[in-house]
Amino acid sequence: DQQVKQNSPSLSVQEGRISILNCDYTNSMFDYFLWYKKYPAEGPTFLISISSIKDKNEDGRFTVFLNKSAKHLSLHIVPSQPGDSAVYFCAASNHVDDYKLSFGAGTTVTVRA
Amino acid sequence: DTGVSQDPRHKITKRGQNVTFRCDPISEHNRLYWYRQTLGQGPEFLTYFQNEAQLEKSRLLSDRFSAERPKGSFSTLEIQRTEQGDSAMYLCASSHWDSSYEQYFGPGTRLTVT
């Protein structure tokens, strides 16, 4: 069963504009959420994370928002740059499960010049 | 600063052969995870270790799969009698005991079974 869902397989955005990636989850026990970025033929690279006790975490151009009541999180990238073109994975875990990650299927972001 | 490394990066094998992959985690990380990723999907958990102890195996890990972490440092994942359905990217990740929620991934081993 897919506990983490990324319903948009792809996103195209113009350079300099905002990219918004969405993620939904079903397991209310998840208490930690992460975003990973992946280039072809490479492993996922950790981008940003958020604990369930927060609703926002910001790191430079990247901000993650968490809405626990809706079981929804989003990643905002602003401004988008050509180097941001990659596949972005949403992942969730909980401490009871020793932080095993459950991943969404990914969203491919293409930043147009 | 050395991150997680995996060897080999690519492996092509014939159905029925055995293959073994190696993962070297970040040196001070005591947790090591294995995931498998197939085309169009996100990584799926296979198994994980805390030091040398294998604490959990996913139901995805059939009897043909075995993983070890003999001295709590590097880990190996062996697949016996490979099948075409085993073709995937095998990813290793590690984390530190006091920040287990953040896992750092290696580049993966791409397995193709012909």
Side-chain angles (χ1 to χ4, degrees), chain A residues 2-8 22-26 90 103-106:
Chain A
Q2 192 81 9
Q3 299 186 80
V4 179
K5 295 181 182 178
Q6 293 176 257
N7 292 320
S8 298
N22 293 304
C23 178
D24 297 294
Y25 61 95
T26 57
C90 171
F103 283 86

Side-chain angles (χ1 to χ4, degrees), chain A residues 35-47:
Chain A
W35 285 94
Y36 285 86
K37 175 180 179 180
K38 187 179 184 302
Y39 294 118
E42 294 184 11
T45 302
F46 171 72
L47 202 54

Side-chain angles (χ1 to χ4, degrees), chain B residues 38-78:
Chain B
T38 53
L39 199 62
Q41 300 298 318
E44 293 177 291
F45 168 79
L46 292 179
T47 187
Y48 86 102
F49 294 83
Q50 180 160 301
N51 300 314
E52 65 274 10
Q54 186 175 17
L55 296 186
E56 186 173 342
K57 294 193 294 185
S58 162
R59 57 181 171 77
L60 293 176
L61 218 62
S62 76
D63 291 344
R64 298 183 297 104
F65 288 71
S66 63
E68 293 182 343
R69 195 181 182 198
K71 296 182 180 178
S73 57
F74 73 91
S75 175
T76 58
L77 178 67
E78 180 184 16

Side-chain angles (χ1 to χ4, degrees), chain A residues 32 34 36 38 41-44 46 49 89 98-101 103-105, chain B residues 9 31 33 35 37 40 42-43 45 48 56 100-103 105-107:
Chain A
Y32 209 81
L34 308 90
Y36 285 86
K38 187 179 184 302
E42 294 184 11
F46 171 72
S49 62
F89 290 101
D98 280 338
Y99 296 107
K100 295 177 309 194
L101 294 173
F103 283 86
Chain B
R9 295 289 305 273
R31 285 196 170 179
Y33 300 79
Y35 293 84
Q37 184 182 14
F45 168 79
Y48 86 102
E56 186 173 342
S100 293
Y101 41 85
E102 289 183 4
Q103 296 177 26
F105 282 81

Side-chain angles (χ1 to χ4, degrees), chain A residues 16-30:
Chain A
R17 306 294 289 266
I18 185 171
S19 295
I20 299 177
L21 290 79
N22 293 304
C23 178
D24 297 294
Y25 61 95
T26 57
N27 188 343
S28 57
M29 296 295 292
F30 287 143

